[in-house]
């Protein structure tokens, strides 16, 4: 599905950062949109989650998946699965990831391409961790435009850096599923084991202070241009909060207002008052 990137397109759409509130009001004055899986004829959700390492992209993806009918694709989870299975992609990715460097655009495009191709055009989906470079962003856009399924929302998780290093140091993951735990915030029911499969949890190789510093630097360097790109397209929403519990209700409200049917007043025939 994805092809290789052409030089960055110039977007002439007026620069505009839409707040969650203004987007809600924009949509409340237009026909309600919802996920196609719920109401026929509406565009499915095509959402990107962007945020620093440890900002809660994986945590929020899991909640969105649980509460909305959305397929989730996490680039980091896919890479870790490939490493675990010893695939060619896994072998290429292992070294970069361990050092906090980025895996090449070529590999990433191939990986995400395979996953997107498994999803039906009417299915809502979200991407966590892809795109990460302008080249990846432009490639994704060109491909989605070509099949007339453009992105319709980009959510930037804006979490203060002071809180995220500790989260990372406390993180345990179930590599095959990508489920994440935190020893104080959302510990597993049984220490060291995944809640669903009972399989052992692991630490990520890149979850140490040195590698985290590099990942954070990379994130700063690459994310600003990406945010500008989507801001200019008018599809960027930045949500701030110290914890995922503060941010998730904002995401839920946003998705409900845009992709779920509005509550329609029931118009049944008036019920006669009970005769006493
Ligand atoms: P990736 O796996 O995407 O890592 P990341 O972006 O660094 O983000 P994280 O997964 O670390 O954090 P998150 O935002 O998902 O936070 P989480 O929900 O787990 O990428 C890893 C590597 O793969 C990259 O460095 C790169 O090498 C490569 N890569 C990936 N995509 C690529 C691409 N497109 N191009 C090139 N290379 C690519 O939360 C963190 C922790 O906090 C968890 O333990 C969670 O339980 C906990 N937590 C969440 N909320 C709270 C809370 N409220 N309070 C306390 N703890 C909380
Ligand atoms: Mg993650």
């Amino acid at each position: 599905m994805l092809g290789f990137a052409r030089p960055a397109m110039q977007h002439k759409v007026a620069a505009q950062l839409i707040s969650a509130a203004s987007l809600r009001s924009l949509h409340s004055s237009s026909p309600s949109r919802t996920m196609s899986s719920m109401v026929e004829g509406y565009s499915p959700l095509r959402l990107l989650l962007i945020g620093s390492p440890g900002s809660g992209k994986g945590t929020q993806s899991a909640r969105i998946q649980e509460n909305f009918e959305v397929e989730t694709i996490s680039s980091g989870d896919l890479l870790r699965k490939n490493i675990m299975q010893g695939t060619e992609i896994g072998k290429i990715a292992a070294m970069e990831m361990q050092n906090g460097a980025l895996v090449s655009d070529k590999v990433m495009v191939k990986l995400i391409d395979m996953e997107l191709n498994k999803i039906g055009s009417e299915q809502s989906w979200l991407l966590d961790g892809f795109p990460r470079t302008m080249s990846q962003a432009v490639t994704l856009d060109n491909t989605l435009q070509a099949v007339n399924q453009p992105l319709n929302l980009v959510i930037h998780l804006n979490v203060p850096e002071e809180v995220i290093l500790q989260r990372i140091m406390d993180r345990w993951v179930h590599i095959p599923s990508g489920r994440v735990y935190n020893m104080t915030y959302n510990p597993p029911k049984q220490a060291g084991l995944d809640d669903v499969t009972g399989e052992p949890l692991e630490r990520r190789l890149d979850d140490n202070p040195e590698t985290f510093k590099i990942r954070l630097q990379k994130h700063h360097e690459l994310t600003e241009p990406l945010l500008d790109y989507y801001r200019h397209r008018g599809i960027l929403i930045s949500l701030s909060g110290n914890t995922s519990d503060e941010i998730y209700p904002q995401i839920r409200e946003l998705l409900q207002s845009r992709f779920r049917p509005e509550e329609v007043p029931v118009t049944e025939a008036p019920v006669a008052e009970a005769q006493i």
Side-chain angles (χ1 to χ4, degrees):
M1 190 182 183
L2 299 182
F4 290 106
R6 296 202 292 267
M9 292 181 280
Q10 290 300 310
H11 287 273
K12 293 185 180 160
V13 184
Q16 184 188 22
L17 173 60
I18 307 182
S19 70
S22 68
L23 197 90
R24 277 197 299 278
S25 69
L26 184 79
H27 281 271
S28 62
S29 62
S30 61
S32 75
R33 293 160 66 85
T34 183
M35 293 181 293
S36 61
S37 45
M38 291 180 168
V39 173
E40 229 173 283
Y42 289 93
S43 296
L45 176 63
R46 295 185 206 92
L47 165 68
L48 303 186
L49 283 186
I50 298 183
S52 63
S55 59
K57 300 181 295 295
T59 304
Q60 302 293 6
S61 294
R63 291 186 188 184
I64 294 170
Q65 186 173 35
E66 203 176 301
N67 295 307
F68 296 84
E69 289 177 50
V70 177
E71 290 282 336
T72 66
I73 301 174
S74 155
S75 54
D77 289 351
L78 285 173
L79 290 168
R80 281 182 285 278
K81 232 184 275 180
N82 274 272
I83 293 173
M84 192 184 75
Q85 293 163 351
T87 66
E88 280 312 305
I89 286 183
K91 285 177 197 153
I92 297 169
M95 190 68 85
E96 274 100 330
M97 288 178 77
Q98 197 161 351
N99 295 329
L102 286 194
V103 175
S104 76
D105 289 341
K106 190 174 160 186
V107 168
M108 292 314 303
V109 161
K110 187 172 166 196
L111 198 58
I112 299 296
D113 191 21
M114 288 191 296
E115 292 305 307
L116 282 176
N117 272 321
K118 295 178 193 163
I119 299 179
S121 60
E122 290 304 304
Q123 173 63 48
S124 290
W125 50 256
L126 77 77
L127 288 176
D128 152 6
F130 183 95
R132 237 166 172 107
T133 64
M134 278 305 298
S135 169
Q136 292 175 11
V138 173
T139 305
L140 179 67
D141 267 347
N142 287 347
T143 307
L144 294 176
Q145 294 289 356
V147 292
N148 204 21
Q149 294 174 26
L151 290 172
N152 40 31
L153 187 60
V154 178
I155 296 180
H156 172 221
L157 303 177
N158 191 14
V159 178
E161 271 167 33
E162 316 73 91
V163 303
I164 59 183
L165 178 60
Q166 192 50 46
R167 288 183 184 185
I168 292 285
M169 299 318 295
D170 268 0
R171 172 164 61 189
W172 287 80
V173 289
H174 178 245
I175 303 278
S177 67
R179 274 184 287 279
V180 286
Y181 299 88
N182 177 285
M183 287 308 118
T184 45
Y185 172 65
N186 59 336
K189 289 177 189 140
Q190 254 194 292
L193 301 179
D194 177 46
D195 287 351
V196 177
T197 62
E199 290 168 350
L201 300 176
E202 293 172 50
R203 296 296 322 273
R204 275 173 46 174
L205 293 174
D206 56 352
D207 277 350
N208 58 71
E210 298 73 35
T211 311
F212 182 73
K213 205 169 148 204
I214 301 169
R215 285 161 57 200
L216 208 51
Q217 271 167 2
K218 270 262 164 286
H219 167 78
H220 286 309
E221 189 187 307
L222 294 168
T223 302
E224 274 313 312
L226 272 187
L227 295 181
D228 278 344
Y229 178 75
Y230 294 120
R231 187 177 290 130
H232 287 205
R233 297 254 314 269
I235 55 173
L236 177 71
I237 305 279
S238 216
L239 300 177
S240 303
N242 276 336
T243 77
S244 300
D245 293 341
E246 282 174 28
I247 293 186
Y248 183 70
Q250 301 177 57
I251 295 180
R252 190 186 53 214
E253 201 184 331
L254 182 62
L255 296 188
Q256 276 173 340
S257 68
R258 294 192 65 184
F259 298 99
R260 275 203 161 156
E262 304 282 342
E263 291 233 342
V264 181
V266 181
T267 53
E268 290 170 351
V271 179
E273 273 184 24
Q275 302 290 320
I276 303 174

